[in-house]
Amino acid sequence: IGIGGSGMFPIARILKEKGYEITGSDIYESDTIEKVRNIGITVSMEQKEENIVDQDLVVFSAAIKDENPEIIAAKNKNIPMIERSVMLGIIFKDYKNSIGVAGTHGKTTTTSMITSILIDAGKDPTAVIGGTLNKIKGNSHLGKSDIIVGEACEYVDSFLKLYPYCSVITNVDSDHLDYFKTFDNVKKSFRQFASQTSGILVVNGDDENARECVDNLKIKTVFFGFSKNNDYYADNIVFNELQMATFSIMHKDKKIADVSLSVPGKHNIYNALAAFLVAENLGVETEKICEALKNFKGAHRRFEILERINDITIADDFAHHPTEIESTLNFVKKMNFKRVWTIFQPHTYSRTFMFINEFAKALSISDKVVISDILPVREVNVYNIHSEDLVNKVPNAVYVPTFEEIADFIVNNATSGDLVLTMGGGNVYKCADMIVSRLKKLF
């Protein structure tokens, strides 16, 4: 149920490839639903009790409510039901070397980097990723080795169903407060996740919250970051004009590798350090890790440049939390575009309400900001929050409700030398596609 979700499809695909008979349902047509059909899974675009016949098991995403007709039908027929994260935990148990990548930001890119390194090194891992990776033509891969790498998402404590051999914590930030209520509860969950690790913890030591979450745990822990207080740290960092970094990885003041990245931004140095340490722990040679990192071109929707038309660059990014937006816009502003246009689709009422001032501060880095309607996802607007409330706090921001209207607005106002960047955790990439289509017709 909810098979088109970024967390659901990779699991369905792996189970299908393992030989299970899978059916699914969703309520929104999407690129993912098309991929589901392409691998031979029957999808109903209406969630109704007739879809539940004699299945052995029903798997549902965290967004599915108890009143869903298929949930009710499964209960009435005494068909076992489990949440997506439970199924991921069951799959994880089949692998000796399981790697869970957790963190408020950077999970998808770090998981993608680790997967790319392992594939390039001939390790053939199974992978479950929250975004599309071109190397595996999707967001999952069924490998033949004893290695699985997957995102460990903290939302509704999903990652507490995992007991990895190796756990990565990229950072710990305040998010999903609709569920956690307080930041202390977020940190408690990350600590519990870390404590479920059987082998090694790979942790961003520059992040005080991440350090706090693993403090005094009796598990082998390796810290990475920029500070020399870490076990492994980046040094001699140089950014090129596209804000892609070259740096040395140091261990106890000794250089162990030189790395050149093909993805921009300071945050990707952190992601690369984590990926390097995981791969090294799995026995991949240093040269192969560095080569794979250099060849890594990024995951889908992670500052993905889509087109350049009439010297207007159109790009798309998944950033939907203030920290992510600030991180992306900071390196984008150094890339010598004449102006940066940010088209932001707020993701959930609760996050918009709770972080409105932080969103305003982050978006203010951009030269021009266009804010669409809020994407409610799983929520009702009990917060009485509206996009205009955010627009009023951001200089040079305008509220334009729909993607069609935004696309027209951008085509009429963007000029040669500009970057147009769509941002958000929802379907704002469709707006980027509309802009590309309109510009192509013009030029």
Side-chain angles (χ1 to χ4, degrees), residues 189-238:
S189 279
F190 271 97
R191 185 170 180 82
Q192 179 59 40
F193 169 73
S195 72
Q196 294 175 187
T197 307
S198 60
I200 183 170
L201 286 163
V202 177
V203 180
N204 181 348
D206 289 355
D207 188 296
E208 286 180 24
N209 298 318
R211 272 193 180 264
E212 184 186 326
C213 290
V214 300
D215 191 35
N216 292 325
L217 289 180
K218 301 289 187 283
I219 300 165
K220 180 183 177 184
T221 305
V222 178
F223 291 106
F224 65 88
F226 291 8
S227 164
K228 292 184 179 181
N229 295 334
N230 295 298
D231 301 298
Y232 293 81
Y233 61 92
D235 202 6
N236 308 316
I237 301 165
V238 178

Side-chain angles (χ1 to χ4, degrees), residues 154-329:
E154 74 274 21
Y155 181 62
V156 298
D157 282 327
S158 291
F159 61 178
L160 299 188
K161 307 297 189 296
L162 303 177
Y163 293 80
Y165 166 75
C166 170
S167 294
V168 177
I169 300 180
T170 59
N171 44 63
V172 179
D173 202 349
S174 184
D175 197 12
H176 300 302
L177 297 183
D178 56 319
Y179 172 75
F180 287 110
K181 308 304 180 196
T182 68
F183 187 33
D184 276 346
N185 287 338
V186 175
K187 289 189 280 191
K188 279 178 195 166
S189 279
F190 271 97
R191 185 170 180 82
Q192 179 59 40
F193 169 73
S195 72
Q196 294 175 187
T197 307
S198 60
I200 183 170
L201 286 163
V202 177
V203 180
N204 181 348
D206 289 355
D207 188 296
E208 286 180 24
N209 298 318
R211 272 193 180 264
E212 184 186 326
C213 290
V214 300
D215 191 35
N216 292 325
L217 289 180
K218 301 289 187 283
I219 300 165
K220 180 183 177 184
T221 305
V222 178
F223 291 106
F224 65 88
F226 291 8
S227 164
K228 292 184 179 181
N229 295 334
N230 295 298
D231 301 298
Y232 293 81
Y233 61 92
D235 202 6
N236 308 316
I237 301 165
V238 178
F239 289 95
N240 68 13
E241 69 280 1
L242 296 175
Q243 295 304 299
M244 296 168 183
T246 300
F247 60 96
S248 304
I249 298 179
M250 310 292 289
H251 177 53
K252 294 179 179 172
D253 291 329
K254 180 186 168 197
K255 184 167 82 170
I256 59 169
D258 285 319
V259 176
S260 294
L261 297 181
S262 300
V263 284
K266 177 182 172 183
H267 60 290
N268 274 316
I269 301 176
Y270 282 113
N271 297 336
L273 285 168
F276 183 97
L277 292 173
V278 170
E280 186 183 59
N281 186 257
L282 290 169
V284 182
E285 295 163 22
T286 300
E287 296 76 21
K288 286 185 177 175
I289 301 174
C290 295
E291 182 75 10
L293 284 172
K294 186 174 184 179
N295 291 334
F296 178 75
K297 299 294 194 292
H300 175 53
R301 300 212 63 217
R302 272 61 183 180
F303 193 69
E304 184 178 15
I305 292 178
L306 305 175
E307 293 277 355
R308 280 195 182 90
I309 304 164
N310 198 40
D311 201 30
I312 298 171
T313 303
I314 303 95
D316 177 53
D317 195 278
F318 188 69
H320 56 285
H321 182 284
T323 303
E324 296 161 355
I325 293 167
E326 187 172 344
S327 174
T328 299
L329 289 177

Side-chain angles (χ1 to χ4, degrees), residues 20-195:
Y20 292 95
E21 188 182 333
I22 310 290
T23 58
S25 69
D26 214 303
I27 53 173
Y28 298 113
E29 285 286 352
S30 66
D31 297 344
T32 307
I33 291 296
E34 197 54 39
K35 289 174 188 168
V36 174
R37 293 192 182 106
N38 287 344
I39 62 169
I41 295 176
T42 302
V43 185
S44 167
M45 292 314 293
E46 187 184 350
Q47 292 178 341
K48 52 189 179 180
E49 59 181 277
E50 296 93 274
N51 293 339
I52 307 300
V53 189
D54 56 356
Q55 287 89 345
D56 299 302
L57 178 68
V58 170
V59 183
F60 58 93
S61 82
I64 302 300
K65 305 283 190 265
D66 288 345
E67 57 270 23
N68 183 286
E70 294 180 8
I71 294 280
I72 293 167
K75 274 183 189 166
N76 291 340
K77 295 186 178 186
N78 293 319
I79 295 172
M81 289 186 290
I82 58 174
E83 199 266 325
R84 179 205 72 89
S85 59
V86 178
M87 178 53 84
L88 182 60
I90 291 167
I91 293 171
F92 254 59
K93 283 175 186 168
D94 279 347
Y95 295 84
K96 180 185 166 195
N97 287 300
S98 55
I99 302 140
V101 181
T104 313
H105 320 293
K107 289 187 292 293
T108 296
T109 299
T110 305
T111 307
S112 298
M113 281 180 172
I114 295 167
T115 302
S116 293
I117 294 165
L118 296 175
I119 288 174
D120 287 359
K123 295 283 189 184
D124 196 20
T126 294
V128 180
I129 306 173
T132 300
L133 178 64
N134 285 336
K135 187 180 287 289
I136 58 174
K137 297 181 173 63
N139 56 357
S140 62
H141 175 72
L142 181 62
K144 294 183 173 64
S145 72
D146 64 358
I147 302 170
I148 186 169
V149 54
E151 287 188 38
C153 180
E154 74 274 21
Y155 181 62
V156 298
D157 282 327
S158 291
F159 61 178
L160 299 188
K161 307 297 189 296
L162 303 177
Y163 293 80
Y165 166 75
C166 170
S167 294
V168 177
I169 300 180
T170 59
N171 44 63
V172 179
D173 202 349
S174 184
D175 197 12
H176 300 302
L177 297 183
D178 56 319
Y179 172 75
F180 287 110
K181 308 304 180 196
T182 68
F183 187 33
D184 276 346
N185 287 338
V186 175
K187 289 189 280 191
K188 279 178 195 166
S189 279
F190 271 97
R191 185 170 180 82
Q192 179 59 40
F193 169 73
S195 72

